Amino acid sequence: MPASSPSQTFPVEGMSCASCSARVEKALRNVPGVEAASVNLTTGMAQATGTASRTDLILAVEQAGYTVPTPPIKLRIEGMSCASCSTRIEKTLQDVIGVREANVNLASGTAQITGTTTHQVLISAIKDMGFAASLLENENLQDAAKERQQRIKQATKSQWRNLIASALLWLLIMLMTMGHGLGIIPAGIQPLLQWTLASVALLGPGRRFYQTGIPALLRRAPNMNSLVALGTGAAYLYSSLVVFYPMLLPEGTQHLYFDTVLGILTLVLLGRVMEARAKGRTSAALEKLTHLQPQKAHLLTDGQCNVVPIAQIQLGDHLLVRPGERVPLDGLILEGKSHLDESLLTGEPMPSFHQVGDSVIGGTINQEGTLTIQATATGADTVLARIIDMVAQAQGGKLPIQSLVDKVTLWFVPAIILLAVLTFIIWLVLGPSPALGYAVVNAIAVLIAACPCAMGLATPTAIMVGTGTAAEMGILFRKGEALQTLESTRLIAFDKTGTLTSGQPQLTEFYLLDKEASRDPEQAEKTLLALAASVEKQSDHPVSRAIVAAAQERKLPAAKTSHAHIIAGLGITAQDEDGQDIHLGSQSFMKTLGFYNAEANRLVDGLSQKGTSPLFMAHKGQIVALMGVADPVRPSAQKAIAALRAQDIRTVMITGDIEPTARHIAHLVGIEDVIAQVMPHEKSQTVQNLQKIHGSVAFVGDGINDAPALAQADTGLAISHGTDIAIEAADLILTGENLMAVPHAIALSRASMTIIRQNLFWAFAYNIVLIPIAAGILYPFTGTLLSPAFAAGAMALSSIFVLSNTLRLRRLRTVVETETATAS
């Protein structure tokens, strides 16, 4: 029997009709090696049978105008020293065939690439540039954090050794140049001894600049290391000529610059050491999250409790969690009750009570009771793993403001080299005697003073610290660019149910409107409520849950219903066991059905004045009951709205509820404007209309029914319920139930963007001011020249200032919470 051909299945995005799926199918069949192809429009999946490669199949789909989503490839890159490095690597990766998008983060030393190519091809392209790269796989989160810390520690240790060695050598040369050898070293051998010490410095602590800088220069992709190598190399070679072949140089130009060489190396290495330490601190929040994951768990099997590695736990396993321990994985409580500290995941300071049947999140701390839980998620599917992934994704993101920096840094180093050459020529031709000496010193000063590092670190480090601080407050930035878009928000639109309210409405009123019910009203109410609960079980709407919960509280027997059908934004229909129609829904729903009841309409006005939502019930062709469902306002809603008002942000409520109820809730929380009776599919258009009037609009919803509005808004903020945090439509996810997270997020965004602008101003201003001074522009007016060693110190100071300024965001949590609390 012949072997069957291999089959490949993959998702396709962008198909909207049968014509689309047919076009994709035809494109796949035309690929050489494909024997059969089928595309399912409903599931969005394509299947191809044959010997064609996956790359060829995906390319065919994309050439047909559709996309195949693929998981991003994450790489660790070693050897990047400045923004010029990261920008050039990013450009090289984007030029690789099959790459859709590439993003290189200088601060974290990582790259993320989407497309159809393989990681081997990408790593090869990076290695061809002279950098080391390796694949970042879904490894153990805690091990990955430890490995990163170990790499930072080793790199810092190596840099400290080089710094100390360079500083000692510099000190010895300075003693000879300024202290005349302290009378111990004969003047005749001092030049040769200086040359020896400088040679040791370049071969030892300075070697790294030549190993990466010179090859990059030869590849016509110079970086910061190239500038240091050129500057120190030029000074070293010139001074070497003075030592060994002084006759080749004009009289009066025979000066030694070995002290300059060592000064440059020492100060640049000092900057690198401080930079490495600061970079290590920028990802502190992410590393703190990874350490929440326990490495072992108490597994219950056949009545025995065994300690096993967390990786061995499978779905459905029973685990024991003792007081004071962290919950190992997401699970469901089978036995016991306790308060759990969820502060590091949700930002909520108070522990929350959990009992049998409640869900628990891995990484939270069990405070007092012993719990038995059943594992419901493991590995990358746990809430904690998804939170860490979101934070990491956001920290690796790129803001729109970064695009200008990328364009500048791409040409910055070549421009500096050209400027140094021009400086040398101008001083050689127009400079005073000895012109050659002035030309060499000023050209070196230009090379060393230039600093693209500060420009490259200004934005990514702020993103890392800002999003990390936000995560500690229970605010997850799914997209790094939301850090910028949120700052410009002028109006925030809130959903009502589940957002401004608790999302757990209760049945508060029940009015019988059926004349026959007057014979036994109590029994009639029970019968109708049981019938309504049976129908509403088919819906997940908060009002439906309130009806079901009320029936369960009264322990009413289940009624038999069938053929349930949900009509979005209006209600639900079904049939009883006799085939009679049942309709449950809004007043508008009753009107569309042609049902009318004067008493019901009168009662609705009273319910609406109290902020209670009316639910009509029709049975056998007439309205038989009116129920009132009230959803309590979140305790934090009023404070949050007041804090937003203090931040000069307007607020509006968008809800499907009727106008009187909506205005009552809006009045309770302090919202100015209300847009009521908006159907779910109309929310997106409503947000779009608000954008035309107010500009940048943010939308806050529960992330389920509000997905179109969350996607349409400039910034979508989703409040997660329970463990449902992976809400794809939102830009930010608020993991807690406290609405103060909304003004907190605004304050974080504003502070982060302020820091970024300060960083960029300093980085650009530094280069704009110092480079002309290094070139000698002040000399004709004041006789001032910039020493290359001083230029090296200023260059190091530029990066250190940017990083230190960014790290101020780490204490922003306290500042933000204090400011918003005061404002509210």
Side-chain angles (χ1 to χ4, degrees):
M1 183 176 178
S4 59
S5 299
S7 178
Q8 298 185 63
T9 305
F10 49 88
V12 178
E13 290 182 350
M15 297 187 298
S16 58
C17 63
S19 175
C20 297
S21 57
R23 190 175 293 114
V24 173
E25 202 169 279
K26 182 180 178 183
L28 290 172
R29 285 175 179 160
N30 289 336
V31 175
V34 171
E35 298 171 8
S38 62
V39 178
N40 189 315
L41 176 64
T42 305
T43 62
M45 300 297 291
Q47 184 177 44
T49 304
T51 57
S53 69
R54 189 178 184 86
T55 302
D56 289 341
L57 295 173
I58 293 173
L59 190 60
V61 172
E62 293 187 338
Q63 286 177 344
Y66 305 90
T67 59
V68 177
T70 54
I73 297 172
K74 298 177 183 178
L75 302 177
R76 178 186 293 126
I77 303 174
E78 296 178 12
M80 294 191 295
S81 59
C82 67
S84 181
C85 300
S86 57
T87 305
R88 289 187 182 280
I89 292 174
E90 190 172 280
K91 187 175 185 301
T92 298
L93 291 174
Q94 288 170 345
D95 290 339
V96 173
I97 296 174
V99 169
R100 189 178 300 119
E101 185 179 356
N103 183 15
V104 178
N105 190 308
L106 172 64
S108 62
T110 59
Q112 182 166 297
I113 306 98
T114 55
T116 57
T117 190
T118 63
H119 69 271
Q120 292 93 340
V121 173
L122 298 170
I123 290 173
S124 177
I126 293 171
K127 285 184 176 178
D128 288 343
M129 295 185 68
F131 298 90
S134 58
L135 181 66
L136 272 174
E137 299 182 274
N138 291 327
E139 51 201 347
N140 181 284
L141 298 172
Q142 204 166 51
D143 288 346
K146 286 180 181 177
E147 183 188 340
R148 183 179 185 276
Q149 284 294 90
Q150 190 63 29
R151 283 189 289 107
I152 291 174
K153 189 176 179 180
Q154 289 176 350
T156 306
K157 191 175 181 180
S158 172
Q159 287 171 336
W160 267 114
R161 284 198 303 267
N162 289 333
L163 173 61
I164 292 169
S166 180
L168 288 173
L169 293 170
W170 186 26
L171 179 62
L172 291 173
I173 290 180
M174 291 297 290
L175 289 175
M176 280 183 273
T177 57
M178 298 179 69
H180 306 291
L182 297 177
I184 301 172
I185 304 171
I189 67 167
Q190 284 187 24
L192 185 61
L193 189 55
Q194 285 188 42
W195 176 84
T196 303
L197 294 173
S199 300
V200 170
L202 293 184
L203 292 171
R207 186 176 68 250
R208 63 174 59 200
F209 299 110
Y210 292 85
Q211 284 178 328
T212 59
I214 298 302
L217 188 64
L218 296 175
R219 286 191 300 270
R220 291 182 296 177
N223 53 37
M224 191 63 211
N225 289 331
S226 304
L227 295 181
V228 176
L230 283 173
T232 56
Y236 174 79
L237 291 174
Y238 184 88
S239 301
S240 298
L241 282 176
V242 173
V243 173
F244 297 106
Y245 302 101
M247 70 291 298
L248 297 178
L249 299 171
E251 194 69 33
T253 64
Q254 300 164 349
H255 300 293
L256 296 179
Y257 297 105
F258 292 124
D259 58 330
T260 299
V261 173
L262 269 296
I264 291 168
L265 286 181
T266 302
L267 291 169
V268 171
L269 286 170
L270 175 63
R272 293 285 171 90
V273 167
M274 298 183 72
E275 197 175 294
R277 291 184 63 191
K279 280 183 183 178
R281 292 163 63 196
T282 57
S283 59
L286 184 59
E287 284 159 12
K288 189 184 293 183
L289 284 172
T290 64
H291 283 86
L292 295 181
Q293 175 69 69
Q295 293 304 290
K296 296 184 182 296
H298 300 290
L299 177 63
L300 296 171
T301 51
D302 301 325
Q304 299 293 318
C305 181
N306 300 304
V307 178
V308 299
I310 203 77
Q312 293 183 14
I313 303 300
Q314 297 181 351
L315 292 178
D317 282 350
H318 290 190
L319 309 173
L320 185 70
V321 187
R322 298 186 174 117
E325 293 181 340
R326 289 195 183 275
V327 177
L329 294 166
D330 298 354
L332 196 68
I333 298 178
L334 302 177
E335 295 179 21
K337 56 185 178 179
S338 179
H339 283 85
L340 296 181
D341 180 358
E342 301 175 329
S343 58
L344 284 173
L345 288 176
T346 66
E348 302 287 348
M350 297 299 293
S352 56
F353 179 72
H354 290 69
Q355 58 188 345
V356 174
D358 289 345
S359 297
V360 292
I361 303 173
T364 56
I365 302 173
N366 178 25
Q367 294 204 322
E368 72 270 350
T370 299
L371 303 175
T372 300
I373 68 170
Q374 183 180 38
T376 57
T378 61
D381 295 325
T382 64
V383 170
L384 179 58
R386 286 186 284 168
I387 286 176
I388 292 170
D389 185 58
M390 284 185 198
V391 176
Q393 293 276 0
Q395 289 191 342
K398 188 171 286 189
L399 303 190
I401 199 172
Q402 180 70 17
S403 58
L404 172 64
V405 180
D406 290 342
K407 291 175 183 176
V408 171
T409 53
L410 187 63
W411 298 103
F412 184 85
V413 175
I416 292 300
I417 293 173
L418 179 61
L419 183 59
V421 172
L422 289 174
T423 300
F424 180 85
I425 294 170
I426 291 170
W427 275 97
L428 190 63
V429 175
L430 303 177
S433 180
L436 181 60
Y438 281 110
V440 169
V441 171
N442 289 312
I444 292 170
V446 169
L447 290 170
I448 300 304
C451 185
C453 304
M455 289 186 282
L457 293 170
T459 302
T461 53
I463 295 174
M464 291 179 73
V465 178
T467 54
T469 302
E472 292 178 349
M473 298 172 67
I475 304 166
L476 300 179
F477 281 82
R478 286 190 64 249
K479 302 171 185 175
E481 56 265 30
L483 202 63
Q484 181 170 342
T485 59
L486 192 60
E487 183 215 22
S488 59
T489 298
R490 294 294 169 264
L491 179 137
I492 296 184
F494 287 86
D495 172 50
K496 180 178 77 71
T497 305
T499 302
L500 290 169
T501 62
S502 66
Q504 296 176 336
Q506 300 169 345
L507 179 64
T508 57
E509 322 268 350
F510 196 105
Y511 299 101
L512 288 170
L513 303 174
D514 186 2
K515 294 178 182 178
E516 296 181 8
S518 58
R519 299 172 189 172
D520 189 355
E522 186 177 343
Q523 183 57 42
E525 182 176 327
K526 289 181 179 179
T527 302
L528 290 175
L529 181 57
L531 199 62
S534 177
V535 177
E536 294 288 10
K537 276 183 180 178
Q538 314 306 314
S539 171
D540 193 41
H541 193 279
V543 171
S544 302
R545 292 197 293 269
I547 302 301
V548 174
Q552 289 174 342
E553 285 175 11
R554 300 187 192 187
K555 297 181 180 178
L556 299 179
K560 293 182 180 179
T561 59
S562 60
H563 299 92
H565 175 62
I566 298 171
I567 302 172
L570 292 174
I572 186 170
T573 67
Q575 290 181 351
D576 63 17
E577 58 183 338
D578 297 326
Q580 297 290 332
D581 289 335
I582 307 167
H583 300 88
L584 288 152
S586 64
Q587 190 173 22
S588 300
F589 188 29
M590 296 298 114
K591 286 181 181 179
T592 61
L593 296 170
F595 298 152
Y596 175 79
N597 185 294
E599 186 180 357
N601 291 345
R602 179 181 61 79
L603 290 169
V604 163
D605 293 336
L607 291 175
S608 300
Q609 294 299 323
K610 295 187 294 183
T612 302
S613 299
L615 178 70
F616 287 78
M617 180 177 183
H619 187 214
K620 299 179 182 178
Q622 63 177 346
I623 297 173
V624 293
L626 176 67
M627 289 167 266
V629 177
D631 187 4
V633 171
R634 288 184 187 272
S636 59
Q638 189 174 10
K639 285 177 62 179
I641 299 302
L644 288 171
R645 191 181 298 115
Q647 293 173 327
D648 294 324
I649 293 177
R650 291 180 60 84
T651 53
V652 62
M653 178 200 292
I654 301 176
T655 178
D657 216 335
I658 59 175
E659 184 94 12
T661 302
R663 290 210 171 274
H664 177 78
I665 299 296
H667 175 73
L668 287 178
V669 300
I671 287 182
E672 299 100 328
D673 300 316
V674 173
I675 304 174
Q677 293 179 287
V678 179
M679 300 289 282
H681 65 274
E682 295 173 338
K683 283 189 177 181
S684 175
Q685 183 60 49
T686 304
V687 171
Q688 193 172 355
N689 294 339
L690 289 172
Q691 287 170 321
K692 292 175 183 177
I693 300 169
H694 299 281
S696 182
V697 172
F699 183 85
V700 186
D702 63 15
I704 302 169
N705 297 328
D706 301 316
L710 287 165
Q712 173 61 42
D714 296 276
T715 311
L717 296 87
I719 297 178
S720 73
H721 294 287
T723 60
D724 183 24
I725 66 162
I727 302 169
E728 294 299 321
D731 302 299
L732 278 80
I733 294 173
L734 312 177
T735 61
E737 299 293 317
N738 191 342
L739 282 178
M740 282 299 291
V742 178
H744 286 172
I746 296 285
L748 276 165
S749 172
R750 289 179 175 178
S752 298
M753 291 307 299
T754 298
I755 291 289
I756 287 172
R757 291 190 181 97
Q758 288 172 352
N759 287 349
L760 290 175
F761 171 80
W762 170 262
F764 280 104
Y766 161 86
N767 284 286
I768 290 170
V769 172
L770 208 61
I771 291 174
I773 294 175
I777 196 170
L778 296 180
Y779 185 80
F781 310 103
T782 64
T784 301
L785 289 175
L786 186 68
S787 162
F790 180 82
M795 180 200 70
L797 185 65
S798 177
S799 293
I800 293 166
F801 174 85
V802 164
L803 285 162
S804 301
N805 191 44
T806 297
L807 288 171
R808 291 194 300 123
L809 284 170
R810 291 185 65 189
R811 62 180 179 86
L812 194 65
R813 176 175 183 174
T814 305
V815 175
V816 165
E817 290 177 344
T818 303
E819 286 181 354
T820 49
T822 303
S824 61

